[in-house]
Amino acid sequence: MRPISMGYAILAVAVLCAPVAALMASRGPDAPAPHNEPAMQQRFIVKYRAGTEPARDPHAVQAHLDQVAEALPQTGKAASAPKLSWLRRLAVGADVFSVDPALDAAGTRRLLEALQADADVDYAEPDGIMTIQR
């Protein structure tokens, strides 16, 4: 009985690995790794420095986001400042907020530069799924 069950185990591994092998073969050795960044960015994470009002009180974050939105440089396409809406505080003390309408790469860069220039902000980054790139 033992050789038969070993055969089934080998067959199961081969069946489960076939789709991965096919995907790897279709990419070719010089193909770039897939780029998982969305074209439009709608959610961000901001961490405020310890001791600042937004770091102490999550309710103060929305007022700070409103100030940042009003101070953003406007482009020819944008008729008004984007709406920044606080969503929640993470366990690490950072805050997640959304932007309406979603920002393109240039708008994302302007928003992050404005946040990082603020003395109250420790860091700001787009919210997204982190993956390992080879």
Side-chain angles (χ1 to χ4, degrees), residues 21-95:
L23 178 64
M24 296 294 283
S26 70
R27 274 195 47 207
D30 295 333
H35 193 40
N36 293 332
E37 255 184 59
M40 300 296 279
Q41 189 63 41
Q42 192 162 12
R43 288 178 22 153
F44 295 85
I45 297 173
V46 61
K47 173 86 162 103
Y48 293 96
R49 295 190 193 282
T52 62
E53 182 68 20
R56 286 190 305 267
D57 181 13
H59 295 88
V61 175
Q62 185 60 57
H64 184 261
L65 292 174
D66 292 341
Q67 291 172 351
V68 169
E70 288 301 319
L72 280 176
Q74 299 300 309
T75 62
K77 291 189 277 184
S80 64
K83 174 75 173 129
L84 308 182
S85 301
W86 181 81
L87 298 174
R88 69 181 178 278
R89 178 149 292 175
L90 301 173
V92 296
D95 295 283

Side-chain angles (χ1 to χ4, degrees), residues 95-114:
D95 295 283
V96 179
F97 67 94
S98 66
V99 179
D100 187 37
L103 300 175
D104 60 6
T108 296
R109 188 179 65 256
R110 283 191 302 274
L111 174 60
L112 291 175
E113 286 172 353

